[in-house]
Amino acid sequence: MNVNDLLTEAYGRLPDLVRGAVDGLTPEQLRTAPAEGANTVGWLVWHLTRVQDSHIADLLGEDQLYATGDWAPRFGRETDPSDTGYGHSAKDVAAVRPENTRALLDYYDAVHARTLAYLEGLKPGDLDRVVDEAWDPPVTLGVRLMSILDDDVQHAGQAAYARGLL
């Protein structure tokens, strides 16, 4: 198996996790925290998509889909590429208000398609390229792609758990 197939397989598991977390939920359920101060299902899926969108756009040297489309208003947000959910307080989490599951899935599907297209063009040697020298050791493309995947899988699992608590 080559690296493209492996990464595509790994990232290809995310859509089912995302759909399973939100399918059939009402807008109110998407916006309801299962406990005081907890993240909502809607916020978790919005956040995991924002992380993937922002990091893949950075790797491509292109604008985020969030910044170039009509996505932000569908979540009750202003279009701000730096707004990915990092550092959000409980009040900030509550302010992410997906209009419905379709908004979350449409945005996720657009980001996912872009990610898969990016992964298809990678060569094994690309994974060793340093993409962020602000860390010690510097972050390579392979490590960044695994970090994005790890973050998304964790948040998809959290969203599924939060859904169960509802």
Side-chain angles (χ1 to χ4, degrees), residues 7-20 22 42 44-53 56 65-66 71 74-75 100-116 119 148-149 151-153 155-156:
L7 288 168
T8 299
E9 170 65 25
Y11 276 85
R13 294 175 183 216
L14 288 168
D16 286 342
L17 297 174
V18 168
R19 278 176 182 59
V22 301
L44 286 160
V45 172
W46 170 85
H47 171 64
L48 74 84
T49 308
R50 291 292 301 118
V51 168
Q52 189 176 143
D53 187 14
I56 296 297
L65 297 178
Y66 194 74
W71 300 110
R74 295 182 73 185
F75 303 104
N100 53 36
T101 59
R102 182 73 350 222
L104 288 163
L105 293 175
D106 287 349
Y107 179 42
Y108 181 80
D109 288 345
V111 169
H112 181 69
R114 185 186 210 187
T115 299
L116 290 183
L119 295 175
I148 297 165
L149 180 64
D151 187 73
D152 281 4
V153 169
H155 289 310

Side-chain angles (χ1 to χ4, degrees), residues 1 18 33 76 108 143 150:
M1 176 178 277
V18 168
Y108 181 80
V143 169
D150 177 60

Side-chain angles (χ1 to χ4, degrees), residues 36-113:
E36 187 175 332
N39 295 326
T40 66
V41 172
W43 183 89
L44 286 160
V45 172
W46 170 85
H47 171 64
L48 74 84
T49 308
R50 291 292 301 118
V51 168
Q52 189 176 143
D53 187 14
S54 68
H55 285 303
I56 296 297
D58 185 55
L59 294 171
L60 287 165
E62 297 177 2
D63 290 332
Q64 297 173 30
L65 297 178
Y66 194 74
T68 61
D70 66 345
W71 300 110
R74 295 182 73 185
F75 303 104
R77 310 296 292 166
E78 297 291 325
T79 302
D80 176 0
S82 69
D83 183 22
T84 63
Y86 284 122
H88 272 192
S89 66
K91 182 179 177 182
D92 296 326
V93 168
V96 175
R97 302 183 57 78
E99 61 189 24
N100 53 36
T101 59
R102 182 73 350 222
L104 288 163
L105 293 175
D106 287 349
Y107 179 42
Y108 181 80
D109 288 345
V111 169
H112 181 69

